[in-house]
Amino acid sequence: LLDLLLNKYDVLSSLIFMKKYFLLDQGDFFVDFLDAAEEELVQELPNVSQGRVQNWLASSVAKTIEVAPPRTNSQENNTASHSSQLASSLRFNFKKKSLNEQLEDFHRRGNGSKKRSNQRNLSGFEALELDFESVPFPTSLVLNVQQIRSYQFVFRQIFFAKYVERQLVHMWTDHQLLKQMMVTIRREFGPTLSLRRRMIHFIQNFVYYMKFDVIEPNWRAMESKLRAAQDYCSNNDANNTSRESFPRTVDDMLMEHNQFLICIVTQCLLTNSDLIKTVTKLMTTCLLFTTEIKKFIASTKLHEYHEITRVERSKLRHGKGSKYISGAEFRAKRDERIKRCSERILGELKTPTYQHMIRRFDEVFSTHLATFMKLLKEDHGSRSNAHLANLMMQLDYNYFVSSSISTKE
C-alpha cells in the first residue's frame, strides 16, 4: 500500500501542490492573483463578488501550472493528472470569522462559552481561505479534513502577512516620487519615513521567518524521508536494515506528514493565542497606516505632477514642431511644479491632523511591538519554543527594535 501511494499515485506531488498554493511557495501565483483581485478583496465581505474571485483564482492557477516542465514518462503523466484534479477542485471560501476567532473556536471545542454575536464585517483579505471541493482517493488518506484545516490556518496567516508587506512596499514606491522634494520636506516627513521603515522591517522579517525558518526546513526534512521511502519501495528492498529513518508503512508516512503540520502550525505562532493576537494587531496597524498614507498621497496630486513631467520629457525627446519643448523650458516648468508641489505637501505635513495621525500610529505600533518582543523573550527560552529565538534575533538584529522602542519610551 505504501508503494501504491508513493509511486503509482505519487502523493508527494500532491503535498508539493499543497506547499505551492496553500503555503504560498510559488510567488508568481500570489502576485498574479492579487494583481487581478486586489480591488475586489479590499472591500468588506458582503460586497465582495465571490464568483469573480473564484474565476481569478482559476486563471492564476492555470497560468502557474502551464509553466511547469513537460512530463515525459507514464508515471509522471499519472502524477500530473492527479495534480490537475487537485487544481481543478481548488476554490476559495470566505469565512465570517477572523483567523483569531477561528483558532479560538478550534482550540476550545467542547467549551460551551458563548461568543459575542455582533462581529465586525471582515475584508475579503481577512476572510479568504483556500479549500477543495473534493480530494480524490487515495490522496484523501493523506489530506483529510483535519490536515487541510491546518494548511488553511497557515495559508490565512501567510496570505494576510504578504498582503500587508505588499501594501508597505507600494507605499515605499510612492515615497520614491518625493525624492526631488526631500530638501524641503525632510524634517516634517521624517517621522513618516521612520515609521514606514520600522513596519517594513517587522513584516519582512516575520514573513521570512515563516517561509524560510519554519516551512522550508520542516518541508525539506519530510520530503527527504518520503523520497527515501519511495526508493525503498521502488527497489523492493524489504531486507534493508539501514538505520536511516524514513517511513516504512502507511501509518509511518501519515505520522510524518502530521508531524510536519504540527511543527509549522506551532512555529508559525498559531497555537500561542497571545502571540498571534499581538502579531495580528501589528499587521492590522501596518495596513491601516498604508491606507491613510495612500489617502494623503492622493490628496497631494503627486502622481498628476509626475505624469505631466513624463509627458513633457517625452516632448523634449521626441517632439517636433509645435509639440517640441526645449531643455531649458522643460527644466523651468519641472522646477516650478516641484516647488509648488513641495509647498503643498509641506502645508499638509504641518497640519495638526496629520501630525497627530503619525504620532498615534507610532504609539500604537511601538506598544504592540514592545508587547510582541516581550512575549517572545518570555517564551523563546523554553526548549519547546526554541524556534522563537530565530524570530527574535532577526527582528532585533543589532538591537534595531530594542533601540527604537527605548527611544519611544
Side-chain angles (χ1 to χ4, degrees), residues 24 30 157-166 207 211:
L24 293 178
F30 175 80
Q157 172 90 325
I158 297 178
F159 184 83
F160 188 62
K162 285 183 69 66
Y163 171 64
V164 173
E165 180 187 21
R166 176 184 167 100
V207 170
K211 290 182 68 66

Side-chain angles (χ1 to χ4, degrees), residues 124 142 152 218 257 335 402:
V142 182
Q152 289 170 334
N218 283 295
H257 183 226
D335 292 343
S402 299

Side-chain angles (χ1 to χ4, degrees), residues 134-260:
S134 62
V135 179
F137 183 84
T139 305
S140 56
L141 296 176
V142 182
L143 295 174
N144 57 38
V145 174
Q146 290 78 14
Q147 291 164 332
I148 290 176
R149 184 182 292 117
S150 296
Y151 279 106
Q152 289 170 334
F153 288 154
V154 179
F155 171 81
R156 292 187 72 180
Q157 172 90 325
I158 297 178
F159 184 83
F160 188 62
K162 285 183 69 66
Y163 171 64
V164 173
E165 180 187 21
R166 176 184 167 100
Q167 296 303 104
L168 285 168
V169 171
H170 283 176
M171 184 171 69
W172 176 87
T173 304
D174 285 341
H175 286 173
Q176 301 313 298
L177 301 176
L178 296 168
K179 279 186 174 180
Q180 294 176 318
M181 308 170 195
M182 278 300 169
V183 174
T184 306
I185 67 173
R186 181 180 298 278
R187 180 178 177 182
E188 286 74 14
F189 203 55
T192 304
L193 299 177
S194 175
L195 182 55
R196 184 208 69 204
R197 179 170 60 97
R198 293 171 60 214
M199 287 181 171
I200 289 179
H201 172 80
F202 165 76
I203 198 65
Q204 288 184 335
N205 278 282
F206 183 58
V207 170
Y208 181 93
Y209 163 77
M210 289 191 292
K211 290 182 68 66
F212 297 104
D213 287 343
V214 175
I215 294 173
E216 198 60 30
N218 283 295
W219 168 262
R220 292 300 176 193
M222 179 185 71
E223 183 185 33
S224 65
K225 291 180 180 180
L226 294 185
R227 292 201 183 280
Q230 271 185 326
D231 295 338
Y232 170 77
C233 294
S234 298
N235 297 330
N236 294 317
D237 195 1
N239 297 320
N240 189 331
T241 58
S242 171
R243 294 184 179 181
E244 183 182 359
S245 173
F246 61 84
R248 286 174 166 80
T249 66
V250 172
D251 286 341
D252 290 343
M253 182 188 69
L254 296 179
M255 184 176 69
E256 199 67 48
H257 183 226
N258 285 336
Q259 188 60 38
F260 164 73

Side-chain angles (χ1 to χ4, degrees), residues 128-391:
L128 201 65
E129 177 182 270
L130 274 178
D131 199 359
F132 293 110
E133 291 181 7
S134 62
V135 179
F137 183 84
T139 305
S140 56
L141 296 176
V142 182
L143 295 174
N144 57 38
V145 174
Q146 290 78 14
Q147 291 164 332
I148 290 176
R149 184 182 292 117
S150 296
Y151 279 106
Q152 289 170 334
F153 288 154
V154 179
F155 171 81
R156 292 187 72 180
Q157 172 90 325
I158 297 178
F159 184 83
F160 188 62
K162 285 183 69 66
Y163 171 64
V164 173
E165 180 187 21
R166 176 184 167 100
Q167 296 303 104
L168 285 168
V169 171
H170 283 176
M171 184 171 69
W172 176 87
T173 304
D174 285 341
H175 286 173
Q176 301 313 298
L177 301 176
L178 296 168
K179 279 186 174 180
Q180 294 176 318
M181 308 170 195
M182 278 300 169
V183 174
T184 306
I185 67 173
R186 181 180 298 278
R187 180 178 177 182
E188 286 74 14
F189 203 55
T192 304
L193 299 177
S194 175
L195 182 55
R196 184 208 69 204
R197 179 170 60 97
R198 293 171 60 214
M199 287 181 171
I200 289 179
H201 172 80
F202 165 76
I203 198 65
Q204 288 184 335
N205 278 282
F206 183 58
V207 170
Y208 181 93
Y209 163 77
M210 289 191 292
K211 290 182 68 66
F212 297 104
D213 287 343
V214 175
I215 294 173
E216 198 60 30
N218 283 295
W219 168 262
R220 292 300 176 193
M222 179 185 71
E223 183 185 33
S224 65
K225 291 180 180 180
L226 294 185
R227 292 201 183 280
Q230 271 185 326
D231 295 338
Y232 170 77
C233 294
S234 298
N235 297 330
N236 294 317
D237 195 1
N239 297 320
N240 189 331
T241 58
S242 171
R243 294 184 179 181
E244 183 182 359
S245 173
F246 61 84
R248 286 174 166 80
T249 66
V250 172
D251 286 341
D252 290 343
M253 182 188 69
L254 296 179
M255 184 176 69
E256 199 67 48
H257 183 226
N258 285 336
Q259 188 60 38
F260 164 73
L261 291 174
I262 290 170
C263 286
I264 65 171
V265 167
T266 302
Q267 294 176 17
C268 285
L269 316 182
L270 295 169
T271 57
N272 189 317
S273 60
D274 291 332
L275 281 172
I276 195 64
K277 285 178 182 177
T278 306
V279 80
T280 302
K281 290 176 182 177
L282 279 164
M283 291 191 293
T284 303
T285 302
C286 294
L287 194 57
L288 291 173
F289 179 66
T290 62
T291 301
E292 293 301 320
I293 296 301
K294 191 180 296 184
K295 293 177 182 177
F296 167 74
I297 293 294
S299 71
T300 63
K301 299 182 179 180
L302 185 63
H303 291 282
E304 294 180 18
Y305 284 111
H306 277 271
E307 178 61 21
I308 293 172
T309 301
R310 186 193 67 79
V311 171
E312 291 186 349
R313 184 179 288 112
S314 178
K315 290 181 179 179
L316 173 65
R317 293 176 178 174
H318 311 293
K320 294 181 180 180
S322 61
K323 293 184 178 181
Y324 177 73
I325 182 174
S326 66
E329 185 181 359
F330 167 75
R331 286 189 293 272
K333 289 184 175 180
R334 182 193 60 188
D335 292 343
E336 177 62 24
R337 275 193 302 273
I338 290 175
K339 181 180 178 182
R340 284 189 281 110
C341 192
S342 299
E343 291 173 351
R344 181 189 181 97
I345 292 175
L346 188 61
E348 292 284 345
L349 294 174
K350 287 183 176 181
T351 60
T353 302
Y354 183 87
Q355 293 178 354
H356 174 75
M357 178 191 74
I358 296 301
R359 281 197 303 269
R360 183 58 184 157
F361 271 116
D362 201 332
E363 290 169 4
V364 172
F365 181 76
S366 297
T367 299
H368 292 327
L369 186 58
T371 303
F372 186 66
M373 295 302 294
K374 181 181 178 182
L375 291 170
L376 286 180
K377 289 178 181 179
E378 289 174 352
D379 290 348
H380 90 278
S382 64
R383 191 169 183 177
S384 60
N385 293 326
H387 57 276
L388 297 179
N390 286 338
L391 178 57

